[in-house]
Amino acid sequence: MALSREQIAQRIARELEDGFYVNLGIGIPTLVANYIPDGIEVMLQSENGLLGMGPFPTEDEIDADMINAGKQTVTAATGASIFSSAESFAMIRGGHVDLTVLGAFEVDVNGNIASWMIPGKLIKGMGGAMDLVAGADNIIVTMTHASKHGESKLLTNCTLPLTGAGCIKKVLTDLAFLEIKDGAFHLKERAPGVSVEEIIEKTEGKLIVPDHVPEMTFA
Amino acid sequence: MALSREQIAQRIARELEDGFYVNLGIGIPTLVANYIPDGIEVMLQSENGLLGMGPFPTEDEIDADMINAGKQTVTAATGASIFSSAESFAMIRGGHVDLTVLGAFEVDVNGNIASWMIPGKLIKGMGGAMDLVAGADNIIVTMTHASKHGESKLLTNCTLPLTGAGCIKKVLTDLAFLEIKDGAFHLKERAPGVSVEEIIEKTEGKLIVPDHVPEMTFA
Amino acid sequence: MSGFNKVVNSYEEAMAGLEDGMTVIAGGFGLCGIPENLIAQIKKMGTKELTFVSNNCGVDDFGLGILLVDRQIKKMISSYVGENALFEKQLLAGELEVELTPQGTLAEKMRAGGAGIPAFYTATGYGTPVGDGKEVREFNGRKYIMEESITGDFAIVKGWKADTYGNVVYRDTAQNFNPMAATAGKITVVEVEEIVQPGELKPTEIHTPGIYVNRVIKGSFEKRIEQRTVRQG
Amino acid sequence: MSGFNKVVNSYEEAMAGLEDGMTVIAGGFGLCGIPENLIAQIKKMGTKELTFVSNNCGVDDFGLGILLVDRQIKKMISSYVGENALFEKQLLAGELEVELTPQGTLAEKMRAGGAGIPAFYTATGYGTPVGDGKEVREFNGRKYIMEESITGDFAIVKGWKADTYGNVVYRDTAQNFNPMAATAGKITVVEVEEIVQPGELKPTEIHTPGIYVNRVIKGSFEKRIEQRTVRQG
């Protein structure tokens, strides 16, 4: 069965290491914060200018001057620092963030990602996504494996305008966890009850399937 | 008679305007701070990272963490700000300093300045001088008009390696105050008792002399 | 020190000199830390054909969005826009031009503008529509694009406290784009919640030194919240 | 948060991993705000063939100057050097290489290195020996040269206070080059006068966020003064 939003967040959380500085994109990536494993501490970076994002505020704590990159009211964790957006993107562009998690429309076998623009629809902008994918070495893209109409989002070549070129190495879909290298997707894990055949069928780009593909387990 | 160091500082101080942010180089330029006219307030920028340099400290106030660009112990004036050297040179390079005063070995009719390097002698470095002359629109160069051997320092072409190209518009020597434009020095004022003839004789570069050259006066 | 007293007492004075066709750099991220009263003053003045450099364009009835009503904005240079219906309408009607710029590149363009750096290289946007027409250059085996800096005729900034010399501190994440905007205006206007005397702000804690600031005004602020999210207390 | 505890308890640990031939970026201006104990540790380790990126090279018996004695320095990238006799001697003997870099360009090269900007343009040095061999480019009718960024295998930094997560504040003009150096090291080591608990430094007053810092150590400092100047009290 395809992974739920919560399971996607749980699986991504297993990529966290103690002491990681992490930038979580809007949507499912944000949920990762709820599944940080025991014994592991991470600091969340918010690209408007906050390192050490805390939980949402209580009604009493709400402060218009404390927001995250999703424009939600937040708090600062103990040991946080707050700085300008130039400093924030110096961190991001300079490769100081250990893990970036973000959504996408498409990825391809060359590590290209398209996530911000669908020609013909209103284009709102890329925000910080282009900086995040260009700056990070360790990125996990999360998205559904195929569209509602069954069209694969793991492609030979992205069809939409790119967010970044050759920068994606890990993809977690609702069906599988894959790595991208040497011009192909490498199937690493499958969602519980999802067959390798289904993943092959729904992957348009070149896919390398090992003899054994472990099934993800969730508590 | 040639101007004394103190008279040079006094004359430069007349170029100050109320509210100016000013960077004073090492040596004679530093003395300008002693002659700020009544009713005029300026803020001194020190390029290591201090805006609002105060007087030297008393023995009790000396603090190794408070120095100026000349590495002298200083104090901070009321309303000062202290920042990194990158921020300091952002101010300088970005043209935010209203007046820069510095010494030189040579200047020429095209506004070139040589102030940091004498080939064959040990070269200690340019420090912040190249940034200062490139960043400021309003610069006063101060130096003796000629060497001890009578060789002019106001030239057709600088002979020494440059500190900056085409950036100097005002020169105050011990003999005269001159402006540089259209490929010539324009004699504006002469030191008390110094003849126009002496200035002509000691200026190697093209010199424009008006009918009347006022004599500087000092209290 | 009269020469360093940057305080003005009316919003008319604060925005005096703004003319049709000028470029204005505005601080703020979403509705957080925006110079809301300076924007309202621009609406009141009715200045037209303005180019705004700002990460976002506010919402229908707050922030830069209010300048759309009388079509005062010709062009936006932003990373993310369209949180308002009128924006979409004017964009689709070709009445409004948008130059989408990655957020980090936008922040750096403002900083570079204030710092006398006319251009820099970044990997951000290489191989994407943002890189189209821009110079590509390789450093250490990786491709980068050249981005040019931005300066404005005016910069409008929201601070928390300023002293009368124009030294500014920002409050929490309301800092965002404000410090870079402050450096990049020919005339930089800062509105703050509180004006203090020189010496009251600690020199090492000042975010924007007064050298960048031309005018300071005390305002009162609505500080609207875009996404009110809470947890159970 | 064990993962964020950057505190090390010995200078051996602080500089572990430094090897012959590496590039080290050092904070400090003159003798002010220099990581004096980290430098002393490098002397003790005897590491050779080092390239130092630092505005100055100390004096004969203090600061980076002490590394000259055993010829540990192969090359200096600095804006102003030669406040020591041994430096001059080694330079004239060709035992030491110096790459003179304008002070503001040096600061910006470090910042750019930490910020993922491989190169930028500046008017500083155009038409001078500094511009020789560098690309010249015109923007808005003025000529600029391209300068490339700098990163180091190590950065050694002197702070005032740090919390255990590596958030750092600097004291007065001892800030100077330290914040940029901190961003530009593969391994950044900060020595401070005082280590405090996370939460004790105000988030908006932190000069160097902990994300840049790998190791923090508490030292005791001589803080030598180069030019003691006083007025009558």
Side-chain angles (χ1 to χ4, degrees):
Chain A
M1 219 175 72
L3 299 182
S4 66
R5 289 164 56 92
E6 286 70 25
Q7 286 175 320
I8 290 175
Q10 279 179 62
R11 175 61 192 85
I12 292 170
R14 291 176 197 160
E15 300 290 308
L16 299 173
E17 294 179 23
D18 196 24
F20 261 21
Y21 296 96
V22 180
N23 185 292
L24 300 176
I26 294 168
I28 293 178
T30 305
L31 299 177
V32 174
N34 300 332
Y35 296 99
I36 298 166
D38 284 347
I40 282 186
E41 302 281 356
V42 301
M43 267 206 170
L44 301 179
Q45 206 259 14
S46 187
E47 62 264 30
N48 52 321
L50 169 60
L51 180 68
M53 187 160 47
F56 293 127
T58 60
E59 273 293 343
D60 289 349
E61 290 170 339
I62 280 184
D63 184 336
D65 291 338
M66 271 303 294
I67 68 167
N68 66 17
K71 289 151 193 167
Q72 299 169 306
T73 44
V74 286
T75 60
T78 301
S81 50
I82 296 173
F83 33 79
S84 75
S85 299
E87 177 61 45
S88 183
F89 282 93
M91 280 175 199
I92 290 168
R93 201 190 304 102
H96 303 279
V97 174
D98 297 299
L99 175 65
T100 290
V101 183
L102 82 168
F105 302 141
E106 300 173 345
V107 294
D108 71 25
V109 295
N110 294 311
N112 296 322
I113 172 173
S115 67
W116 71 286
M117 180 183 180
I118 299 179
K121 288 203 184 181
L122 182 72
I123 294 144
K124 293 198 168 189
M126 69 293 285
M130 286 193 184
D131 304 279
L132 282 161
V133 297
D137 200 43
N138 188 14
I139 303 170
I140 300 178
V141 167
T142 177
M143 58 183 191
T144 55
H145 208 98
S147 74
K148 284 172 196 162
H149 311 294
E151 289 158 337
S152 178
K153 297 180 177 181
L154 282 71
L155 306 175
T156 306
N157 286 299
C158 286
T159 62
L160 297 169
L162 297 186
T163 307
C167 45
I168 306 302
K169 293 176 195 150
K170 295 178 187 172
V171 183
L172 178 67
T173 72
D174 53 341
L175 305 184
F177 182 69
L178 310 99
E179 289 182 8
I180 303 175
K181 60 180 174 192
D182 306 326
F185 295 107
H186 295 251
L187 182 56
K188 293 290 174 182
E189 299 170 28
R190 58 198 167 94
V194 169
S195 68
V196 168
E197 288 65 34
E198 181 181 351
I199 295 165
I200 291 173
E201 187 199 330
K202 289 187 173 165
T203 305
E204 189 263 333
K206 184 176 175 185
L207 180 69
I208 308 287
V209 182
D211 291 343
H212 174 65
V213 182
E215 205 174 70
M216 298 175 204
T217 54
F218 293 94
Chain B
M1 219 176 71
L3 299 181
S4 66
R5 288 164 56 91
E6 287 70 24
Q7 285 173 320
I8 289 175
Q10 279 179 63
R11 175 60 192 84
I12 292 170
R14 290 175 198 161
E15 299 290 309
L16 298 173
E17 294 178 25
D18 196 23
F20 261 21
Y21 296 96
V22 181
N23 185 294
L24 300 176
I26 294 167
I28 293 178
T30 304
L31 299 177
V32 173
N34 301 332
Y35 297 98
I36 298 167
D38 285 346
I40 282 185
E41 302 281 357
V42 301
M43 266 207 173
L44 301 178
Q45 206 260 12
S46 187
E47 63 264 29
N48 50 322
L50 168 61
L51 180 68
M53 187 159 47
F56 293 128
T58 60
E59 273 294 343
D60 289 348
E61 290 169 339
I62 280 183
D63 184 336
D65 291 337
M66 273 300 296
I67 69 167
N68 65 17
K71 289 150 192 165
Q72 299 170 306
T73 43
V74 286
T75 59
T78 300
S81 50
I82 296 173
F83 32 80
S84 74
S85 300
E87 177 61 46
S88 183
F89 282 94
M91 280 175 200
I92 289 167
R93 200 189 305 104
H96 303 279
V97 174
D98 297 300
L99 176 66
T100 290
V101 184
L102 80 171
F105 301 142
E106 300 173 345
V107 292
D108 72 24
V109 295
N110 295 310
N112 297 323
I113 172 173
S115 66
W116 71 286
M117 181 183 178
I118 299 179
K121 288 202 183 180
L122 181 72
I123 294 143
K124 293 198 169 190
M126 69 292 286
M130 286 193 183
D131 304 280
L132 282 161
V133 298
D137 200 45
N138 188 15
I139 302 169
I140 301 178
V141 167
T142 175
M143 57 182 194
T144 55
H145 208 99
S147 73
K148 283 171 197 164
H149 311 294
E151 290 159 337
S152 179
K153 298 180 177 181
L154 283 71
L155 305 174
T156 306
N157 286 298
C158 287
T159 63
L160 297 169
L162 298 187
T163 308
C167 45
I168 306 302
K169 294 176 194 152
K170 296 176 185 173
V171 184
L172 179 68
T173 72
D174 54 339
L175 304 183
F177 182 70
L178 310 99
E179 290 181 7
I180 303 175
K181 60 180 174 192
D182 306 328
F185 296 105
H186 295 251
L187 182 56
K188 293 288 173 182
E189 299 170 29
R190 57 200 168 91
V194 169
S195 68
V196 168
E197 289 64 34
E198 182 181 352
I199 295 165
I200 291 173
E201 186 197 330
K202 290 187 173 166
T203 305
E204 188 263 334
K206 182 176 176 186
L207 180 69
I208 309 286
V209 182
D211 291 344
H212 175 65
V213 181
E215 205 173 70
M216 297 174 207
T217 54
F218 294 92
Chain C
M1 281 205 184
S2 59
F4 291 102
N5 186 354
K6 313 278 176 77
V7 179
V8 297
N9 296 306
S10 72
Y11 276 92
E12 288 71 22
E13 224 180 316
M15 291 309 299
L18 181 71
E19 290 173 16
D20 290 357
M22 280 186 166
T23 294
V24 182
I25 301 183
F29 173 79
L31 302 182
C32 179
I34 60 172
E36 52 179 270
N37 300 296
L38 295 170
I39 294 167
Q41 174 61 24
I42 295 173
K43 180 170 175 64
K44 198 171 151 193
M45 291 166 76
T47 323
K48 304 261 186 196
E49 296 282 306
L50 295 169
T51 294
F52 272 91
V53 185
S54 171
N55 192 60
N56 312 91
C57 190
V59 293
D60 271 327
D61 61 340
F62 198 66
L64 291 175
I66 66 171
L67 302 182
L68 295 168
V69 184
D70 300 318
R71 287 196 206 154
Q72 293 179 260
I73 305 179
K74 184 182 68 176
K75 182 176 176 180
M76 288 296 309
I77 300 177
S78 304
S79 87
Y80 196 82
V81 293
E83 298 289 357
N84 36 25
L86 197 50
F87 189 96
E88 185 170 342
K89 187 163 161 272
Q90 293 186 7
L91 188 65
L92 294 174
E95 295 165 355
L96 179 64
E97 193 184 337
V98 176
E99 185 177 320
L100 291 172
T101 304
Q103 195 173 337
T105 297
L106 186 65
E108 194 65 18
K109 277 170 170 266
M110 291 183 192
R111 180 190 178 273
I117 292 169
F120 58 91
Y121 290 90
T122 176
T124 301
Y126 167 72
T128 79
V130 165
D132 287 352
K134 289 175 184 158
E135 177 180 318
V136 174
R137 193 169 187 129
E138 195 167 310
F139 295 93
N140 298 316
R142 189 168 184 201
K143 297 228 167 63
Y144 296 82
I145 59 175
M146 191 181 82
E147 293 280 5
E148 296 194 35
S149 65
I150 292 179
T151 55
D153 299 296
F154 271 78
I156 57 174
V157 168
K158 160 67 172 64
W160 177 29
K161 296 181 189 176
D163 67 21
T164 57
Y165 291 2
N167 293 306
V168 184
V169 293
Y170 304 96
R171 191 164 170 277
D172 292 344
T173 64
Q175 181 170 165
N176 56 62
F177 282 82
N178 282 297
M180 291 76 74
T183 68
K186 281 198 200 83
I187 296 177
T188 290
V189 188
V190 183
E191 61 170 344
V192 293
E193 298 174 41
E194 189 183 348
I195 294 176
V196 300
Q197 288 307 304
E200 291 188 42
L201 303 175
K202 210 180 143 198
T204 50
E205 291 168 5
I206 287 166
H207 295 122
T208 293
I211 195 170
Y212 293 115
V213 176
N214 301 89
R215 303 171 191 168
V216 173
I217 187 164
K218 184 177 180 303
S220 57
F221 298 86
E222 176 186 337
K223 290 201 195 179
R224 194 180 297 186
I225 293 173
E226 211 161 339
Q227 304 274 347
R228 175 178 286 263
T229 47
V230 293
R231 73 173 195 279
Q232 296 310 315
Chain D
M1 283 205 183
S2 59
F4 291 102
N5 185 354
K6 315 279 176 76
V7 178
V8 297
N9 296 304
S10 73
Y11 276 93
E12 287 73 20
E13 226 182 315
M15 291 309 297
L18 182 72
E19 292 172 15
D20 290 358
M22 280 186 168
T23 295
V24 181
I25 302 183
F29 174 80
L31 301 182
C32 180
I34 60 172
E36 52 179 270
N37 300 296
L38 294 171
I39 294 167
Q41 174 61 24
I42 296 172
K43 180 169 176 65
K44 198 171 150 194
M45 290 165 76
T47 324
K48 303 263 187 195
E49 296 281 309
L50 296 169
T51 294
F52 272 92
V53 186
S54 170
N55 192 59
N56 313 92
C57 191
V59 294
D60 270 327
D61 61 342
F62 199 67
L64 291 176
I66 65 170
L67 303 181
L68 295 168
V69 182
D70 300 317
R71 287 198 207 153
Q72 293 179 257
I73 305 179
K74 183 183 70 179
K75 181 176 177 181
M76 288 297 309
I77 301 177
S78 305
S79 87
Y80 196 83
V81 291
E83 298 290 355
N84 35 24
L86 198 48
F87 189 98
E88 185 170 343
K89 187 162 162 275
Q90 292 186 7
L91 188 65
L92 294 174
E95 297 165 352
L96 179 65
E97 193 185 335
V98 177
E99 184 177 321
L100 291 171
T101 303
Q103 194 173 335
T105 297
L106 186 65
E108 194 65 18
K109 277 169 171 269
M110 290 184 193
R111 180 191 178 273
I117 292 169
F120 58 90
Y121 290 90
T122 177
T124 301
Y126 167 72
T128 80
V130 165
D132 287 353
K134 288 177 186 156
E135 178 180 316
V136 173
R137 192 168 188 130
E138 196 168 307
F139 297 93
N140 299 316
R142 187 166 185 202
K143 295 225 169 64
Y144 296 82
I145 58 174
M146 191 180 81
E147 292 280 6
E148 296 193 36
S149 64
I150 292 179
T151 55
D153 298 296
F154 271 77
I156 57 174
V157 168
K158 161 66 172 65
W160 179 29
K161 295 180 190 177
D163 66 23
T164 57
Y165 292 1
N167 292 305
V168 184
V169 294
Y170 304 96
R171 190 164 170 278
D172 291 344
T173 64
Q175 181 170 166
N176 57 58
F177 282 83
N178 282 297
M180 291 78 73
T183 68
K186 280 197 200 80
I187 297 176
T188 290
V189 189
V190 183
E191 60 170 341
V192 295
E193 298 174 41
E194 189 183 347
I195 293 176
V196 302
Q197 287 308 304
E200 290 188 43
L201 303 175
K202 209 180 146 198
T204 50
E205 290 169 4
I206 288 166
H207 295 121
T208 294
I211 195 170
Y212 294 114
V213 175
N214 301 91
R215 302 170 190 168
V216 173
I217 187 166
K218 183 177 181 303
S220 57
F221 298 85
E222 176 187 338
K223 290 200 193 180
R224 195 179 295 184
I225 292 173
E226 209 161 342
Q227 303 274 347
R228 175 178 285 263
T229 47
V230 293
R231 72 175 196 279
Q232 297 309 314

